[in-house]
Amino acid sequence: MKEWLKSNKKVTRVIKDVAELANYLWQRGWAERNAGNISYNLSGMIQEDLSNMDEYPVFGLDRGYPELGGGYFFVTGTGKRMRDLARNPMKNACIIKVSDDGRHYHIISRNKKNLYDFRPTSELPTHLAIHEQLKLNDSPNRAVVHTHPNELVALTQIKEFQQEKELNRILWGMHPEAIVFVPNGLALVPYILPGTETIAQATLDRLSDSEVIMWEKHGTFAVGEDVLDAFDKIDIMSKSARIFFMVRQAGYVPEGLTDEQINELKKKFHPEN
Ligand code: 2HA
Ligand code: ZN
């Protein structure tokens, strides 16, 4: 690890949180092989003078992110395992600096000579598109977490739950916390090829509707003030899906909370909506 990085307390805190999260994702069985990716907006947390960008390898972006120009991001690496990230975060992730014009990025946490074939996550377009929007909205959310929660992915394999309204009605009905912590429910994005600008755009289009976006038959993207906050939102909705399947497996149809009970929770915890 680079010296400046070791002594930066704010950044090392983020890295510690990421390692903790990676362990949770692996333990839950949501992170088979290289599944999932994480990013965090570090802009404003790095004061060290890193002005000589020539030292660091530079890569092009498929489109420009002008709002992110000059910004710093922690991003996990493509093809890396969550369980390895948990043990050794900086070997399985990197810190990038976006160029001032927002069209390139430098990997600043590695020297050119030990870069090998390391590259940021294949879902970088979606991560950067989300960070750009969060910044434009002056959002306190700096973390973006993508994972493959079995229970939620399984629900989107069922035709009737490929309707967002139906999906959220079931998830909110399984336990009261769901509407308290994910008041807008999941924003569902129909299946699109992963790792593309198309899925990034479709995700971005739903960001104003919810902090948790569900990619049909694939996984979730959640935003939060830190990575564990983003994880909690996914975890709560996954618990709902687990309760749903438990009741079904026991041979019963879950009753769910009534519309009145859901509205009562909404009024108490989210009177603004
Ligand atoms: O990082 O999860 O969506 C691998 C993936 C791609
Ligand atoms: Zn994925």
Side-chain angles (χ1 to χ4, degrees), residues 185-229:
L186 302 181
L188 186 62
V189 170
Y191 182 82
I192 299 171
L193 184 68
T196 57
E197 287 290 342
T198 320
I199 200 163
Q201 187 57 49
T203 308
L204 197 57
D205 290 345
R206 299 305 314 277
L207 193 61
S208 57
D209 300 319
S210 180
E211 293 186 327
V212 191
I213 291 149
M214 178 82 219
W215 285 1
E216 186 190 292
K217 299 174 189 152
H218 179 149
T220 47
F221 260 88
V223 298
E225 295 192 14
D226 58 48
V227 294
L228 298 168
D229 175 39

Side-chain angles (χ1 to χ4, degrees), residues 34-37 121-123 146 148 194 215 218:
N34 61 321
N37 29 76
T121 167
S122 57
E123 303 295 2
H146 169 56
H148 298 172
W215 285 1
H218 179 149

